[in-house]
Amino acid sequence: MKTMLNIALPKGRLGEKVYDMFEKADFPCPSIKENNRKLIFENEQAGVRFFWVKPSDVAIYVERGAADIGVAGKDILLEYRPDVYELLDLKIGKCDMAVAAKAGFNDDRKRTLTVATKFTNIAKAYYSTLGRDIDIIHLNGSIELAPILGLSDVIVDIVETGATLKENNLVVVEKFQPISARLIANKANFKFKNAVVEKIMEELAKLTENN
Amino acid sequence: MAQLEFVLSGEEKAVYSLRALYLKYGYAQYKMSKFEEYDLYVKNKDFLVSDNVITFTDTDGKLMALKPDVTLSIIKNSKDNPDGALKVCYNENVYRVAKGTNSFKELMQVGLERLGNIDNDAISEVLFLAAESLKTVSESYVLDISSLDLVKTIMDDAGISFEGEKEILSYLAEKNIQGVSAVCIREKVSEQKAELIKKLVTIYGAPEKVLTELSRLNLSAKTKAAVKNLAVIVDGLKNKGVIDNARIDFSVVNNMKYYNGIVFKGFVEGIPNGILSGGQYDKLMQKMGKQSKAIGFAVYLDDINKLPEKNG
């Protein structure tokens, strides 16, 4: 039996874009486009097996070896710091990690700053480089609500176009970390399935030059 | 005796076969029967894999710790003899916080240390035993070897700052070429020198292939010396018959505050993380006031039960 390469893709729009890149790189799996509720898709001939997982879980699947390679946002990698190889910047899904606040907010440093975010570790690391004392409020979604309701002074979140912020009368204070999708690989499996992973890396690298 | 096959778990079998291997090569069993003072671990916090330590107060009021590591105790309790060859092996439970959790775990760790006069033969012997240890666990294994001296000289030649060096090392560990490149641009490294640093990410694989590729590069005298040194070690592995599963891979990065020279990491198919880790740690010896040089490694056996049972 041929050994299959397990690939974890992030569910959603970004994942579909990423799959298209794999298809162009000559690792197709047509069954993935069928409209059904299947979670795993195989193409034995090409030797690949794709599966959709929650974007924030991709790194865990790869770190623990359930997937040999995967595609995860830099935000997830910075937040969870998984022990994986980060082989390639795919240059898609581009956005920024940013601090945002209500228009007119000014941090006078007289008291502890409260920060609402999904990305606790990133926020802590960022403010520690500024030497600013903060209180973190961990939220799982609708982060933009926090400053509006007075739950926090600022938020640390991903900003793509800034439309959501604008509609809620929030402004970007600073973009401090560019984010994009990265090809990651499990450290052990990278060695044992090296030939095929290298091939994928090479083909995807060619495609990213156009992105 | 035959019945032991059925009695012992995979982990226990590995512990005994590894001990048999090390004893055969003249490594004496080291047993930790006392607790160390917490102070020992705090002073060398960065050397430890996790910085959490379980502490308790001894009857005389001293703050003691349950061992998170065995190497520090072996160094502390050994007689300093720079010309000798102290060879010890151990199997002990260590207490660490597993990554991604908030609770302590008891892990079985097997390993060996060689202290004293560490020449190329000594390094080859330890690398050979590392390879044999991996083979004991699984026939399908890889031993990644790197030379911190080589990595360091290439970065020094490029004039990378202390901060930049730390960043580059963490990008090397991720094989993150774009990250390395970004640091080089920020540090205004010349294009030619930056290319060399990036080669540390892209060149890896079978030792002889890597050495040939390195020899083609335009390297400084110091770096060439480091390459030559690596070639001698590779020759040693060839003579001992463990070259086939060895790879040179500069993504093996150990903390440069403690390690120098050859560092290595071992993987077996079926276990997602490295199960063996080691290297030369002369700098740690100096920090602890010893003149001797040292090299050693540890094998982590907690994941070994994930492997299918070996037949025979």
Side-chain angles (χ1 to χ4, degrees):
Chain A
M1 205 187 75
K2 203 172 166 185
T3 51
M4 303 286 276
L5 188 77
N6 295 315
I7 306 170
L9 295 180
K11 221 184 276 176
R13 223 169 6 136
L14 175 67
E16 281 162 28
K17 263 193 188 163
V18 171
Y19 168 74
D20 288 341
M21 289 179 72
F22 275 93
E23 195 174 76
K24 276 187 207 148
D26 219 18
F27 289 91
C29 184
S31 59
I32 211 166
K33 300 255 169 155
E34 287 165 17
N35 196 7
N36 58 28
R37 284 168 177 264
K38 273 218 291 218
L39 293 170
I40 298 185
F41 305 90
E42 269 188 23
N43 180 352
E44 257 205 81
Q45 214 188 347
V48 287
R49 182 186 290 131
F50 289 95
F51 40 89
W52 299 114
V53 302
K54 197 174 172 193
S56 53
D57 289 343
V58 172
I60 297 170
Y61 278 77
V62 175
E63 185 178 28
R64 302 212 163 218
D68 301 311
I69 61 171
V71 172
K74 184 70 185 174
D75 50 331
I76 303 297
L77 301 178
L78 286 171
E79 178 66 21
Y80 298 105
R81 298 256 162 216
D83 188 18
V84 296
Y85 289 136
E86 190 182 318
L87 299 176
L88 189 69
D89 182 350
L90 296 176
K91 298 185 180 153
I92 55 172
K94 281 188 190 169
C95 50
D96 287 281
M97 191 57 71
V99 180
K102 272 207 283 196
F105 174 79
N106 186 20
D107 179 13
D108 56 11
R109 290 199 164 223
K110 276 185 187 149
R111 57 190 181 83
T112 310
L113 188 73
T114 56
V115 181
T117 184
K118 241 197 291 197
F119 303 97
T120 324
N121 295 329
I122 295 178
K124 273 186 204 158
Y126 170 66
Y127 279 103
S128 100
T129 62
L130 297 183
R132 180 78 173 97
D133 205 17
I134 59 165
D135 260 344
I136 290 260
I137 301 170
H138 180 88
L139 297 176
N140 291 304
S142 304
I143 318 289
E144 293 85 359
L145 259 177
I148 299 170
L149 297 179
L151 180 61
S152 74
D153 298 319
V154 298
I155 61 172
V156 168
D157 205 10
I158 285 172
V159 178
E160 207 177 331
T161 58
T164 319
L165 293 179
K166 213 176 221 173
E167 276 173 37
N168 291 295
N169 198 24
L170 299 176
V171 291
V172 171
V173 178
E174 193 186 355
K175 290 180 178 173
F176 62 90
Q177 170 73 47
I179 304 287
S180 60
R182 308 293 166 105
L183 178 70
I184 58 175
N186 176 270
K187 285 193 170 180
N189 299 1
F190 177 81
K191 295 164 208 306
F192 297 106
K193 297 182 178 176
N194 191 261
V196 55
V197 177
E198 285 249 296
K199 178 95 181 90
I200 289 181
M201 210 174 119
E202 201 177 300
E203 293 297 325
L204 291 180
K206 278 185 217 157
L207 292 169
T208 51
E209 279 167 22
N210 310 324
N211 282 337
Chain B
M1 276 300 273
Q3 278 180 347
L4 282 180
E5 274 290 300
F6 303 101
V7 180
L8 298 176
S9 72
E11 183 178 323
E12 286 162 330
K13 267 186 227 165
V15 169
Y16 294 123
S17 14
L18 290 175
R19 190 193 292 172
L21 173 69
Y22 305 151
L23 292 178
K24 195 174 130 195
Y25 282 86
Y27 288 76
Q29 174 87 3
Y30 176 90
K31 183 80 200 133
M32 250 188 102
S33 48
K34 285 189 197 152
F35 299 102
E36 297 289 355
E37 283 185 39
Y38 176 60
D39 192 48
L40 172 69
Y41 302 115
V42 175
K43 273 190 191 145
N44 301 291
K45 207 171 113 216
D46 300 338
F47 180 73
L48 305 173
V49 178
S50 81
D51 48 8
N52 289 303
V53 179
I54 304 177
T55 55
F56 65 95
T57 315
D58 214 346
T59 50
D60 59 1
K62 276 188 182 152
L63 189 60
M64 309 298 282
L66 297 191
K67 55 185 177 306
D69 166 272
V70 188
T71 308
L72 289 175
S73 303
I74 291 180
I75 299 173
K76 187 182 142 240
N77 300 320
S78 71
K79 193 169 157 271
D80 194 17
N81 182 3
D83 302 317
L86 178 69
K87 297 159 97 174
V88 290
C89 65
Y90 61 86
N91 59 282
E92 297 277 350
N93 280 319
V94 295
Y95 303 89
R96 289 180 179 171
V97 175
K99 199 189 164 223
T101 67
N102 290 318
S103 45
F104 281 99
K105 240 176 107 180
E106 185 182 63
L107 310 169
M108 175 51 81
Q109 186 180 327
V110 181
L112 63 81
E113 314 291 343
R114 184 172 173 157
L115 315 179
N117 176 23
I118 304 299
D119 54 12
N120 286 331
D121 284 343
I123 297 173
S124 296
E125 179 189 86
V126 170
L127 283 172
F128 164 76
L129 286 171
E132 287 293 311
S133 306
L134 291 166
K135 208 191 230 162
T136 308
V137 176
S138 164
E139 290 286 329
S140 180
Y141 73 91
V142 162
L143 181 66
D144 276 350
I145 302 165
S146 170
S147 157
L148 288 182
D149 291 344
L150 195 155
V151 173
K152 179 93 171 100
T153 52
I154 288 190
M155 286 197 295
D156 284 350
D157 288 342
I160 305 277
S161 70
F162 181 70
E163 276 303 306
E165 204 174 280
K166 265 194 354 206
E167 273 180 77
I168 287 184
L169 286 177
S170 73
Y171 286 133
L172 274 185
E174 293 175 350
K175 288 188 181 291
N176 185 340
I177 192 157
Q178 278 128 337
V180 170
S181 184
V183 179
C184 287
I185 291 170
R186 203 189 59 213
E187 300 251 327
K188 301 196 173 63
V189 175
S190 76
E191 206 158 298
Q192 193 201 355
K193 297 256 164 73
E195 258 336 289
L196 278 187
I197 300 180
K198 282 191 253 173
K199 286 274 192 250
L200 292 174
V201 181
T202 52
I203 297 186
Y204 63 89
E208 282 171 336
K209 187 195 102 186
V210 171
L211 287 173
T212 324
E213 283 182 57
L214 287 173
S215 68
R216 285 199 200 113
L217 301 174
N218 181 16
L219 302 171
S220 71
K222 257 184 165 178
T223 315
K224 272 188 186 146
V227 173
K228 210 169 147 196
N229 215 349
L230 193 56
V232 173
I233 303 295
V234 166
D235 266 342
L237 293 181
K238 223 185 316 178
N239 293 337
K240 290 188 154 63
V242 289
I243 196 79
D244 290 346
N245 292 59
R247 307 275 182 273
I248 292 180
D249 192 319
F250 299 109
S251 72
V252 182
V253 175
N254 292 5
N255 193 327
M256 285 209 189
K257 253 165 78 185
Y258 301 97
Y259 289 94
N260 59 293
I262 300 292
V263 292
F264 49 96
K265 208 167 182 160
F267 298 85
V268 301
E269 195 166 4
I271 298 181
N273 319 100
I275 64 160
L276 182 149
S277 169
Q280 290 178 263
Y281 50 87
D282 302 346
K283 289 190 193 163
L284 173 62
M285 298 293 280
Q286 283 164 17
K287 260 193 94 175
M288 292 179 72
K290 307 264 176 174
Q291 305 287 316
S292 303
K293 293 183 169 177
I295 182 170
F297 64 80
V299 189
Y300 305 99
L301 293 173
D302 48 318
D303 279 341
I304 204 171
N305 291 326
K306 286 181 189 165
L307 287 176
E309 284 278 317
K310 259 206 273 186
N311 293 321

